[in-house]
Amino acid sequence: DTGVSQDPRHKITKRGQNVTFRCDPISEHNRLYWYRQTLGQGPEFLTYFQNEAQLEKSRLLSDRFSAERPKGSFSTLEIQRTEQGDSAMYLCASSLQGPNTEAFFGQGTRLTVV
Amino acid sequence: GDSVTQMEGPVTLSEEAFLTINCTYTATGYPSLFWYVQYPGEGLQLLLKATKADDKGSNKGFEATYRKETTSFHLEKGSVQVSDSAVYFCAPYNQGGKLIFGQGTELSVKP
């Protein structure tokens, strides 16, 4: 297993367009997380899954954002009607269940909304 | 809600200097505590962790001790190297089942 992979690595889109990102976690990991990181800030939690169940979604997350993990393996994050404020690095991480386990992060998808 | 406060950067040190990056947190209960590091052009990776009070996590010469009474988890290294230049993030694992990150502290080590 090569770790957590995210696709695409970079995405430039026009304001108002929809975008979708994909994350492939480490295969035996049942937890999958999405974070957003802007320049000079730490990662901000968006949502997470345990297997295929979405257990929590940040209250800060607009309803333009939706995430799925249909078979408990890969996940997609969709942003509808993108805005310039959505420009950020979107990070995916996966882990085994439990508070003492390491979360492994992907390289991220950098979104630029023009 | 849960939150993390980290020492503001950037921190600039000469090689072999002593490093401290302060981290304090507010969280329900006694969370596991983590330090993650982000090297230039790379993804976040775990540096060290501590899972209960008075535990000391260590890795690559870095150390941090879980201080329950002061809700702190300060990162230290006795002698930094140029290769330690990176952004460091303190992150408790909260009861809701996720990592809460600080804003990060950029470290720049000069030869």
Side-chain angles (χ1 to χ4, degrees):
Chain A
D1 199 332
T2 56
V4 178
S5 61
Q6 293 188 243
D7 183 70
R9 292 290 306 277
H10 303 274
K11 177 72 177 178
I12 300 174
T13 189
K14 291 184 178 179
R15 191 175 49 181
Q17 297 295 303
N18 299 344
V19 294
T20 300
F21 310 141
R22 178 181 170 119
C23 171
D24 286 273
I26 293 172
S27 56
E28 63 267 27
H29 286 178
N30 57 353
R31 286 214 168 166
L32 186 148
Y33 304 82
W34 285 99
Y35 286 82
R36 176 172 60 192
Q37 186 177 20
T38 53
L39 196 63
Q41 300 297 315
E44 173 191 25
F45 170 77
L46 296 179
T47 187
Y48 85 97
F49 294 83
Q50 183 163 302
N51 300 313
E52 64 276 7
Q54 188 172 18
L55 294 190
E56 187 176 345
K57 186 175 175 179
S58 169
R59 287 172 293 174
L60 301 175
L61 205 58
S62 158
D63 58 7
R64 296 183 296 105
F65 287 70
S66 62
E68 294 183 339
R69 195 183 183 197
K71 297 182 180 178
S73 56
F74 74 92
S75 176
T76 58
L77 176 69
E78 181 184 18
I79 309 174
Q80 295 182 327
R81 304 180 303 281
T82 52
E83 302 172 357
Q84 286 191 319
D86 297 331
S87 296
M89 178 75 84
Y90 289 84
L91 300 172
C92 177
S94 71
S95 74
L96 295 170
Q97 185 178 346
N100 302 328
T101 59
E102 177 181 356
F104 291 81
F105 282 80
Q107 296 273 67
T109 294
R110 181 168 296 285
L111 172 66
T112 302
V113 181
V114 297
Chain B
D2 297 348
S3 65
V4 179
T5 301
Q6 278 185 239
M7 175 175 165
E8 280 197 26
V11 173
T12 302
L13 296 173
S14 298
E15 211 165 18
E16 300 184 2
F18 183 84
L19 168 71
T20 301
I21 299 178
N22 291 339
C23 169
T24 57
Y25 64 91
T26 58
T28 305
Y30 302 110
S32 297
L33 300 173
F34 297 79
W35 276 98
Y36 277 79
V37 59
Q38 192 167 34
Y39 297 103
E42 298 185 17
L44 279 163
Q45 56 187 275
L46 178 67
L47 179 60
L48 55 82
K49 69 179 183 182
T51 59
K52 61 183 187 296
D54 300 325
D55 263 5
K56 178 183 284 188
S58 61
N59 186 27
K60 299 181 180 181
F62 290 88
E63 294 183 337
T65 301
Y66 191 139
R67 301 290 187 198
K68 184 178 70 173
E69 61 280 5
T70 55
T71 61
S72 64
F73 193 51
H74 304 322
L75 183 68
E76 296 182 337
K77 186 173 185 181
S79 176
V80 294
Q81 304 302 310
V82 172
S83 57
D84 293 326
S85 298
V87 183
Y88 293 81
F89 295 93
C90 181
Y93 184 98
N94 81 346
Q95 288 191 339
K98 59 187 183 287
L99 292 166
I100 304 297
F101 286 90
Q103 78 273 23
T105 301
E106 182 182 358
L107 170 66
S108 177
V109 180
K110 305 298 184 187

